[in-house]
């Protein structure tokens, strides 16, 4: 089974802090994605990557950056956390054959 | 801009009833339409998917109906069970968008025993 592992289930950070959310997949998938999930808004794409060191902006990239130095790892960075970034963050990886596999999510609270 | 619109936002059904969730899309380049199921504390998981060359796909109690001319698709859950209580997301993907999925807003389904 494909596994997508997000390093933290819950995080509480202070406004202005730099926050790193880590995601690792074990199936050698080319594609990796970061979404945020908010009630009534569904899943909105923040950034995605089709290959190592490649990144593409999604629909809501403002306030975020990403890093993909290794194929299996895709990190989401909040440069200066703000309260409106309090959300559930979901990482996913995909292949043409197996489609998307999501991690269990990181619930981030910015206080 | 939400390219995939989903309704209703929440749905309560009695055990044994039929649950129906609807989605509409705008981008005619979409060519793959999956549904995802999410339980509390878990990430979404693929439930069933359809491509526009067929009008219906059935897997067990779950059926997708697809209307290409209306740009709509729906999920039907027959004989709904309390274990089906979850959040359901429709999504769409097109060849031009690469692998990225665009999701609907989600439907919170509650099946009462």
């Amino acid at each position: 089974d494909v596994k997508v592992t997000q390093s933290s289930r819950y995080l509480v950070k202070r406004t202005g802090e730099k926050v790193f959310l880590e995601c690792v997949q074990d199936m050698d998938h080319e594609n990796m994605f970061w979404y945020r999930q908010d009630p009534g808004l569904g899943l909105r794409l923040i950034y995605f990557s089709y290959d190592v060191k490649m990144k593409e902006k999604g629909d809501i990239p403002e306030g975020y950056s990403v890093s993909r130095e290794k194929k299996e790892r895709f990190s989401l960075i909040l440069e200066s956390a703000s309260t409106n970034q309090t959300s559930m963050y979901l990482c996913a990886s995909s292949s043409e054959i197996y489609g998307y596999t999501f991690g269990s999510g990181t619930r981030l609270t910015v206080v | 801009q939400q390219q995939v619109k989903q309704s209703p936002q929440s749905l309560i059904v009695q055990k044994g009833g039929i649950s129906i969730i609807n989605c509409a899309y705008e981008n005619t380049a979409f060519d793959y339409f999956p549904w995802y199921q999410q339980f509390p504390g878990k990430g979404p998981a693929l439930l069933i998917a359809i491509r526009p060359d067929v009008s219906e796909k059935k897997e067990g109690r779950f059926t997708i109906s697809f209307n290409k001319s209306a740009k709509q698709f729906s999920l039907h859950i027959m004989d709904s069970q309390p274990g089906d209580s979850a959040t359901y997301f429709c999504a769409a993907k097109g060849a031009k968008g690469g692998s990225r999925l665009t999701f609907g807003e989600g439907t919170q389904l509650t099946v009462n025993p």
Side-chain angles (χ1 to χ4, degrees):
Chain A
D1 274 356
V2 178
K3 261 197 169 177
V4 177
T5 303
Q6 294 184 232
S7 55
S8 304
R9 291 297 305 273
Y10 300 95
L11 274 179
V12 180
K13 296 292 182 181
R14 295 192 180 277
T15 301
E17 273 194 81
K18 190 169 187 176
V19 181
F20 293 85
L21 303 184
E22 306 288 344
C23 175
V24 177
Q25 52 101 355
D26 66 358
M27 276 295 288
D28 203 35
H29 285 173
E30 301 290 338
N31 310 313
M32 296 190 74
F33 307 83
W34 275 106
Y35 286 85
R36 65 176 281 177
Q37 180 177 1
D38 300 287
L41 297 177
L43 278 69
R44 293 179 293 164
L45 183 63
I46 304 171
Y47 267 97
F48 58 106
S49 169
Y50 290 140
D51 202 350
V52 175
K53 297 194 186 294
M54 280 190 55
K55 59 184 179 183
E56 299 269 354
K57 291 181 180 179
D59 299 319
I60 51 164
E62 296 79 18
Y64 303 95
S65 62
V66 290
S67 172
R68 194 165 180 200
E69 296 296 319
K70 294 184 178 181
K71 192 174 186 179
E72 67 271 19
R73 186 179 297 270
F74 192 36
S75 302
L76 179 69
I77 304 156
L78 287 66
E79 296 290 342
S80 178
S82 64
T83 54
N84 63 14
Q85 292 178 310
T86 290
S87 186
M88 170 69 83
Y89 290 88
L90 288 163
C91 175
S93 70
S94 80
S95 70
E96 285 303 313
I97 297 174
Y98 296 105
Y100 271 50
T101 300
F102 282 90
S104 294
T106 296
R107 185 166 293 282
L108 173 67
T109 303
V110 182
V111 298
Chain B
Q1 182 184 359
Q2 193 78 28
Q3 292 195 55
V4 179
K5 298 291 291 181
Q6 182 172 347
S7 64
Q9 189 170 1
S10 64
L11 179 63
I12 299 175
V13 173
Q14 292 299 119
K15 179 182 175 182
I18 302 173
S19 304
I20 301 174
I21 304 170
N22 300 299
C23 283
Y25 63 97
E26 300 168 4
N27 188 344
T28 54
F30 287 148
D31 64 358
Y32 174 70
F33 302 89
W35 285 89
Y36 283 78
Q37 180 187 54
Q38 183 182 32
F39 293 106
K42 301 287 188 182
L46 179 65
L47 182 63
I48 187 172
I50 196 168
R51 292 196 182 271
D53 52 346
V54 296
S55 61
E56 186 174 283
K57 183 174 181 180
K58 185 176 181 179
E59 289 183 3
R61 296 185 293 108
F62 300 91
T63 300
I64 300 178
S65 297
F66 186 81
N67 186 330
K68 188 173 181 179
S69 61
K71 293 188 286 185
Q72 294 176 348
F73 58 110
S74 59
L75 176 69
H76 296 236
I77 306 174
M78 311 300 288
D79 187 26
S80 299
Q81 299 296 313
D84 297 330
S85 297
T87 301
Y88 292 81
F89 293 96
C90 63
K93 180 168 77 74
K96 288 185 179 180
S99 293
R100 59 173 293 176
L101 282 172
T102 299
F103 286 85
E105 298 93 330
T107 297
Q108 177 78 51
L109 171 66
T110 302
V111 181
N112 288 328

